[in-house]
Amino acid sequence: KAAITVGIGLFIAFIGFVDAGFVNRTPGGPPVQLGIDGSIASVPTLIFVIGLVLIGVLVARKVPGAILIGIVVTTTIAIIAQSIPVLPTEIITMPDFGLGGQFDLFGSFARVGGLAATMLVFTLVFTNFFDAMGTMTGLSKNAGLGTPDGMFPRIRSAFIVEGAGAIMGGATSTSSATVYVDSAAGIGEGARTGLASLVTGVLFLLSMFFTPLTLIVPIEAGAAALVVVGAMMMAQIKEIKFESFAIALPAFLTIVTMPLTYSIANGIGVGFISWSLINGLSGRGKQVHWLMWVVSAGFVLYFVRGPIEVLLGH
């Protein structure tokens, strides 16, 4: 569970680097490279670096609201540097709710068949559940709310709300309204009780009417905040007992798989499978709970779902 927290921290930091252009894909070469052709001498990336240093200094000096201050200052610098070429002519607009309710609950069963649709539902539920579990576990540990057994208070209520949000997101034809690692930014500012999430939700509702204004904030400003929060979450790595290789390898695989595959669920799956196999085959089978074997088998099915979906005609 500590590895999940560290992996999420590395994941969101990597997202920040990519969003800012600090890291880019390279066609025909290494998977990623620094900036463009090894150079970060572009206005957005330089603004990201300024924001990263500014937020880092403010956080180190324990300035309240350090991340928000950094985002506001970085946005101002971006406007002055003309990295935002067009400022909005309108501040308030009416949101478009035309996609609300545009879904067919059983359409996939009619289109691809019962078995293929069931496999699709299994994949979505499996991914959503373990993405949420990993995110909640990582965030709770980062907030200092984790219990000695790795859980956190009111976990059942948290999953009920998360599941309901995912369903409602689909009903409104939007992205799944589930827990996101971006909440780590609020935790980094001191959020603990849930009030910050309520305030954020209300502000998101209001932001629907101020879309042109919110678009002023450049992606590199938010990217700097993600990297700082990722660094905060990396602190959990000290809880991993790397002196035991049966622990070190599954933890390492969990940590590196998340950013490299852009998926929290993938990291958890690789960690579960490697933990079960390494401990089970090295004489430590009693340390592997039977439920770990069940979940690991589910992840194996999830990872090889491609050929299975082909066989089912999906």
Side-chain angles (χ1 to χ4, degrees), residues 89-314:
T89 56
E90 296 181 337
I91 301 299
I92 301 177
T93 59
M94 290 299 297
D96 182 4
F97 297 105
L99 289 178
Q102 300 298 314
F103 68 95
D104 186 347
L105 189 60
F106 299 103
S108 60
F109 287 86
R111 180 174 300 179
V112 300
L115 287 176
T118 300
M119 186 66 193
L120 178 61
V121 171
F122 167 79
T123 301
L124 292 174
V125 173
F126 207 75
T127 304
N128 189 79
F129 174 78
F130 282 100
D131 266 335
M133 188 199 77
T135 302
M136 288 182 183
T137 300
L139 294 177
S140 65
K141 288 181 70 66
N142 194 47
L145 300 176
T147 56
D149 61 354
M151 294 293 101
F152 56 90
R154 301 183 66 186
I155 184 172
R156 183 185 300 272
S157 299
F159 274 110
I160 290 175
V161 172
E162 198 278 335
I167 295 172
M168 292 303 298
T172 56
S173 299
T174 64
S175 299
S176 179
T178 183
V179 57
Y180 279 94
V181 294
D182 306 74
S183 297
I187 292 173
E189 289 294 340
R192 295 294 184 275
T193 64
L195 179 61
S197 297
L198 294 177
V199 173
T200 300
V202 172
L203 293 178
F204 262 117
L205 288 174
L206 295 177
S207 71
M208 292 191 299
F209 300 93
F210 295 91
T211 301
L213 185 62
T214 59
L215 292 176
I216 295 177
V217 181
I219 193 171
E220 56 266 24
L226 288 179
V227 174
V228 170
V229 174
M232 294 177 179
M233 298 185 72
M234 287 291 293
Q236 296 293 329
I237 200 169
K238 66 180 183 294
E239 296 188 13
I240 303 174
K241 299 178 181 179
F242 281 104
E243 61 272 15
S244 172
F245 199 72
I247 295 175
L249 183 57
F252 171 76
L253 292 175
T254 300
I255 292 170
V256 300
T257 301
M258 289 185 189
L260 294 181
T261 65
Y262 250 61
S263 169
I264 295 173
N266 286 348
I268 295 175
V270 170
F272 272 44
I273 295 171
S274 60
W275 169 271
S276 300
L277 289 177
I278 292 173
N279 284 276
L281 298 176
S282 60
R284 300 181 179 89
K286 292 182 179 180
Q287 297 184 18
V288 184
H289 194 280
W290 66 267
L291 190 56
M292 287 287 287
W293 289 111
V294 173
V295 176
S296 296
F299 269 116
V300 170
L301 184 63
Y302 168 70
F303 286 137
V304 300
R305 66 188 184 278
I308 295 176
E309 290 174 349
V310 172
L311 290 175
L312 294 177
H314 175 53

Side-chain angles (χ1 to χ4, degrees), residues 41-111:
S42 65
V43 173
T45 307
L46 290 175
I47 291 174
F48 159 75
V49 173
I50 293 173
L52 179 60
V53 173
L54 175 61
I55 296 175
V57 170
L58 293 176
V59 171
R61 295 178 67 90
K62 299 182 179 181
V63 176
I67 295 177
L68 180 60
I69 293 173
I71 292 176
V72 172
V73 173
T74 305
T75 300
T76 304
I77 294 174
I79 294 174
I80 296 174
Q82 296 183 347
S83 64
I84 304 175
V86 180
L87 294 177
T89 56
E90 296 181 337
I91 301 299
I92 301 177
T93 59
M94 290 299 297
D96 182 4
F97 297 105
L99 289 178
Q102 300 298 314
F103 68 95
D104 186 347
L105 189 60
F106 299 103
S108 60
F109 287 86
R111 180 174 300 179

